[in-house]
Amino acid sequence: MIARRTFLKYLAASPLLATTSSGRALAAEIFDEGSSSLADYLITSPADALDVFDFQRVAQSVLPVAHYGYLATGTDGNETLTANRTAFDRFYLRPLRMIDTSRVNLATTLLGSALKSPIAIAPVGSQNAFHADGELAMARAAGTRDALQILSNVSTRSIEDVIAARGAPVWFQLYPTSDWSVTEKMLRRAERAGAEVVVLTVDLNSGSNRVMLGQYIRADDRDCSACHSTHPDAWLERKPMYDGTGATTAGFDTPGMTWAFLERLKGATTMKVVVKGIVTADDARNCLNYGADAVYVSNHGGRAEASGRGAIESLPEVAAAIGERVPLLVDSGFRRGTDIFKALALGADAVCLGRACIWGLAAFGQPGVEKVLQMLNAELAMVMGQMGAPSIADIGSQHVAMR
Ligand SMILES: Cc1cc2nc3c(=O)[nH]c(=O)nc-3n(C[C@H](O)[C@H](O)[C@H](O)COP(=O)(O)O)c2cc1C
């Protein structure tokens, strides 16, 4: 089958065949959307990957159906999830020629820290659902690639163990509960562990309608009771950051949270505070008014509301609202160096990867994440060279325009 499909790939790539209707049908049959690989080709080593979608296919093949559904799901009919990818097409690149790019340097700074690259790892909860080593494998990969890692507070590994595996502090992402004392205990613990930045996620306060997840759970006929007890607070037992906090699942609904919470958080911690989940200029201004040290544009990878708007489309208005006052991070839908370059050109200082790193983790553990990070950094370096931007500071609005 592979041999036939490999042959068909070359046929489909032929300009002659691809311009005929049968050629287009053939191409549609054998290629994944957005991927340059054969739809059913599974790599057996990270070194064989051509793009991050190679890891997605392996992840899907190795994960339990319901776990893959948890990873892949958007909300409603996946309108935002889809827009996160298609919106990149609305922005095109404007390469500037004949600039010396014999040395391309990805180094940058963020909130006062020197980074080897603006590509960072987004907070993703429950990573043991994707690999037995979960957040520890992610941390080791972040360590070897010297990448910034943001740890979710619904992680399956503790911040102390993750920082030990990373060999350096990570940023700590916080979902508050309705009980302030839970938040306070967690802040103290993160500070003691060495975290210097807390990322407050504000985009899931009233729930999300994850239809696709439900469909995958429905299709999974395994007995999952060993891990997923029906007791409402059982899942908290697998979340070490809640140990000793007195948290209950009931406290996870926070529809009453307002901007006053950000002010309170700022006053309660020595860590710098980043606000994650901002998609409008209005809220970017609120972040500044209530003391945020950085703003993080995100629609939770299409897992919050079905706004139908891609994260890259939110970036320009947020960037314009905050100007140069605080750093700007972004995630949701980033799969290629070109995507990352567009965000940097539109004003982002750093770009975080959610699913791309998890695909690497699920597929091959630590080496899979390392390859995802290496590949996207190499892709970004190549685009920077092509665009005539040898350093991150050289990337600007001159390099991108909207259709
Ligand atoms: C399985 C999964 C779990 C996630 N868990 C968290 C979390 O615990 N905290 C958080 O702030 N964001 C969480 N996110 C959102 C990510 O931080 C990030 O915003 C999103 O994955 C970016 O989109 P991308 O996956 O298309 O790169 C999660 C995303 C996924 C896919």
Side-chain angles (χ1 to χ4, degrees):
M1 183 60 152
I2 293 296
R4 175 181 163 265
R5 287 183 172 260
T6 305
F7 172 68
L8 290 176
K9 178 185 112 175
Y10 291 119
L11 263 187
S14 145
L16 262 184
L17 183 56
T19 51
T20 66
S21 59
S22 61
R24 278 193 295 274
L26 189 57
E29 183 211 334
I30 62 177
F31 288 105
D32 272 357
E33 188 192 348
S35 168
S36 54
S37 294
L38 295 172
D40 58 0
Y41 188 88
L42 291 179
I43 57 169
T44 53
S45 153
D48 294 337
L50 299 176
D51 61 20
V52 297
F53 296 102
D54 272 329
F55 293 99
Q56 180 185 17
R57 276 185 290 279
V58 179
Q60 182 160 18
S61 75
V62 298
L63 286 175
V65 175
H67 289 201
Y68 186 76
Y70 169 60
L71 177 59
T73 193
T75 53
D76 292 0
N78 293 332
E79 290 81 0
T80 313
L81 181 76
T82 305
N84 277 341
R85 291 298 303 143
T86 55
F88 283 110
D89 296 341
R90 295 186 60 204
F91 298 88
Y92 60 90
L93 295 180
R94 300 182 66 251
L96 301 177
R97 309 296 188 200
M98 303 296 276
I99 293 167
D100 181 359
T101 53
S102 44
R103 283 165 183 267
V104 172
N105 185 355
L106 273 61
T108 189
T109 57
L110 190 63
L111 284 175
S113 296
L115 296 183
K116 202 172 142 196
S117 155
I119 302 175
I121 301 171
V124 169
S126 304
Q127 293 186 14
N128 267 30
F130 308 119
H131 189 273
D133 295 335
E135 291 86 357
L136 298 186
M138 187 68 78
R140 291 185 194 113
T144 56
R145 298 299 315 168
D146 201 6
L148 169 66
Q149 179 184 6
I150 308 175
L151 179 71
S152 165
N153 72 339
V154 290
S155 57
T156 32
R157 302 303 182 115
S158 71
I159 191 167
E160 295 83 4
D161 290 349
V162 169
I163 287 179
R166 170 67 182 82
V170 296
W171 289 12
F172 179 62
Q173 177 266 324
L174 175 76
Y175 286 123
T177 70
S178 54
D179 179 351
W180 174 254
S181 74
V182 173
T183 296
E184 254 190 332
K185 285 178 192 140
M186 244 184 234
L187 292 174
R188 294 294 86 76
R189 182 170 172 183
E191 287 164 359
R192 272 198 309 274
E196 291 165 0
V197 178
V198 59
V199 177
L200 173 68
T201 298
V202 298
D203 58 10
L204 273 186
N205 293 353
S206 294
S208 63
N209 186 29
R210 299 194 177 165
V211 176
M212 185 180 177
L213 170 60
Q215 291 166 338
Y216 274 67
I217 290 173
R218 204 163 57 182
D220 195 329
D221 54 9
R222 295 167 311 134
D223 175 6
C224 303
S225 56
C227 298
H228 299 276
S229 143
T230 50
H231 185 273
D233 288 331
W235 75 280
L236 274 173
E237 288 162 15
R238 298 191 307 276
K239 304 283 181 274
M241 293 312 295
Y242 289 88
D243 288 353
T245 62
T248 61
T249 303
F252 274 73
D253 282 337
T254 52
M257 194 160 98
T258 67
W259 289 103
F261 186 92
L262 174 57
E263 207 167 26
R264 188 175 191 186
L265 182 67
K266 267 295 285 180
T269 179
T270 55
M271 293 183 279
K272 290 180 180 150
V273 177
V274 179
V275 182
K276 175 173 185 275
I278 300 305
V279 290
T280 61
D282 317 54
D283 279 345
R285 283 188 287 272
N286 281 323
C287 288
L288 297 180
N289 291 340
Y290 288 91
D293 295 294
V295 174
Y296 188 154
V297 169
S298 172
N299 56 37
H300 220 102
R303 299 159 78 82
E305 61 283 319
S307 67
R309 189 185 195 198
I312 193 79
E313 294 170 299
S314 297
L315 191 57
E317 68 171 272
V318 173
I322 66 173
E324 299 295 316
R325 280 174 286 183
V326 296
L328 179 57
L329 296 88
V330 64
D331 73 20
S332 298
F334 289 83
R335 308 286 183 258
R336 297 195 187 277
T338 309
D339 305 335
I340 294 165
F341 185 94
K342 287 178 183 175
L344 298 174
L346 291 169
D349 297 294
V351 175
C352 303
L353 307 173
R355 292 182 185 82
C357 285
I358 300 294
W359 293 336
L361 176 72
F364 298 105
Q366 177 186 345
V369 182
E370 285 169 352
K371 179 65 182 178
V372 166
L373 292 170
Q374 180 273 326
M375 196 163 43
L376 285 175
N377 276 285
E379 288 180 20
L380 175 60
M382 183 187 284
V383 185
M384 287 169 65
Q386 278 296 116
M387 298 299 295
S391 76
I392 298 299
D394 291 319
I395 303 173
S397 55
Q398 69 277 20
H399 291 119
V400 69
M402 216 173 168
R403 281 182 220 289

